[in-house]
Amino acid sequence: MVPMKPGVRRRASRPLAAYDLFADLAATPGREVIADGAMILRGFLRDEGEAILRAIDSVAARAPFRRMVTPGGFTMSAAMTNCGRAGWITDRRGYRYTDVDPESGRPWPELPALFVDVARRASAAAGFRGFVPDACLINCYEPGARLSLHQDRNERDFTAPIVSVSLGVPAIFLFGGAERSERPGRWRLEHGDVVVWGGPARLAFHGVVALAEGKHPLTGSRRFNLTLRKAL
Ligand code: MD6
Ligand code: FE
């Protein structure tokens, strides 16, 4: 539950960006503000990692991980799949959301209830109320896989935040500003850490440094990342 400050009334016209609470919430132990509008919730899902990984397995059984090709013709080093009403893809024709998996022609697997619940709890913990995701991109990194600096801007509604869940081997997350030229900060994300961002950070450039060799009891040498979004 989010404590209300006495005498402070929030207007109904700001349903998602409960942004006035950000500073208060950020003072909670285990929270790290990495930019105005972006925070890490340390260990938020540590105890739920196994259940989330099982749900990833069941998604991947129906929509297998694959390495997609960028519009420029490069094969991405991280393997990806999706669940939800929309799935993010890239191919020679561009970056976009689709309602079917192009590999199978079938709809993407349903968003597991656990993912919807995780998104709601994590976004609320960061001060964003009422976030209901309709898409989840799942990334799988083997040692050496990386994600170069990018903005998430294929979604229709930038007022909704993004909830990002890290599982398995730790990675270095790069988080910059609204311009690519801004030098990004470096943040180590471990199993169970969650990053929530929105508001003024929604279009920040970010990326993932090449995954180091490592061993995690639940994932071996791999790292998984969920990004829960409102795409439609
Ligand atoms: C990753 N994450 O951590 C890649 N995008 O594997 C992202 O690209 C990302 O973590 C938007 C919001 C949070 C993220
Ligand atoms: Fe991203």
Side-chain angles (χ1 to χ4, degrees):
M1 196 94 71
V2 172
M4 279 267 211
K5 272 192 239 142
V8 176
R9 284 189 53 199
R10 254 174 270 111
R11 291 185 306 145
S13 60
R14 291 179 56 201
L16 284 170
Y19 194 63
D20 40 347
L21 292 168
F22 193 78
D24 301 351
L25 292 166
T28 311
R31 313 244 165 110
E32 284 172 50
V33 172
I34 62 174
D36 191 17
M39 70 168 87
I40 302 175
L41 310 172
R42 291 290 181 197
F44 193 76
L45 297 173
R46 204 175 287 141
D47 298 338
E48 294 167 82
E50 240 179 305
I52 297 169
L53 287 164
R54 272 197 301 272
I56 291 174
D57 274 346
S58 90
V59 168
R62 286 170 291 158
F65 282 101
R66 79 292 306 263
R67 290 172 61 197
M68 300 186 201
V69 176
T70 66
F74 295 99
T75 300
M76 297 185 78
S77 56
M80 299 179 175
T81 187
N82 290 279
C83 52
R85 285 207 294 133
W88 185 88
I89 66 159
T90 173
D91 59 19
R92 293 306 299 245
R93 285 164 36 219
Y95 304 118
R96 62 198 179 280
Y97 282 93
T98 63
D99 53 3
V100 298
D101 178 350
E103 298 282 308
S104 67
R106 292 196 308 263
W108 296 104
E110 222 178 286
L111 257 188
L114 174 61
F115 291 7
V116 177
D117 190 55
V118 156
R120 185 186 52 75
R121 283 186 278 136
S123 56
F128 296 94
R129 283 167 299 133
F131 175 50
V132 181
D134 56 20
C136 179
L137 172 66
I138 310 176
N139 294 315
C140 175
Y141 298 79
E142 304 267 8
R146 57 190 286 273
L147 200 59
S148 51
L149 277 185
H150 66 279
Q151 294 170 296
D152 289 14
R153 54 182 316 150
N154 297 116
E155 300 75 24
R156 272 182 207 154
D157 177 5
F158 295 146
T159 66
I162 294 179
V163 170
S164 166
V165 177
S166 292
L167 296 167
V169 171
I172 305 293
F173 186 53
L174 302 173
F175 198 90
E179 307 292 334
R180 189 185 290 279
S181 56
E182 215 170 299
R183 158 116 70 112
R186 296 167 68 91
W187 303 90
R188 184 182 159 93
L189 297 180
E190 300 200 33
H191 182 77
D193 290 349
V194 178
V195 186
V196 180
W197 64 27
R202 180 61 183 74
L203 292 173
F205 277 88
H206 59 280
V208 178
V209 173
L211 193 72
E213 299 280 349
K215 200 115 215 117
H216 187 278
L218 298 176
T219 66
S221 60
R222 293 174 297 179
R223 169 182 186 257
F224 292 91
N225 172 265
L226 304 181
T227 51
L228 290 142
R229 301 117 183 266
K230 181 168 155 32
L232 303 177

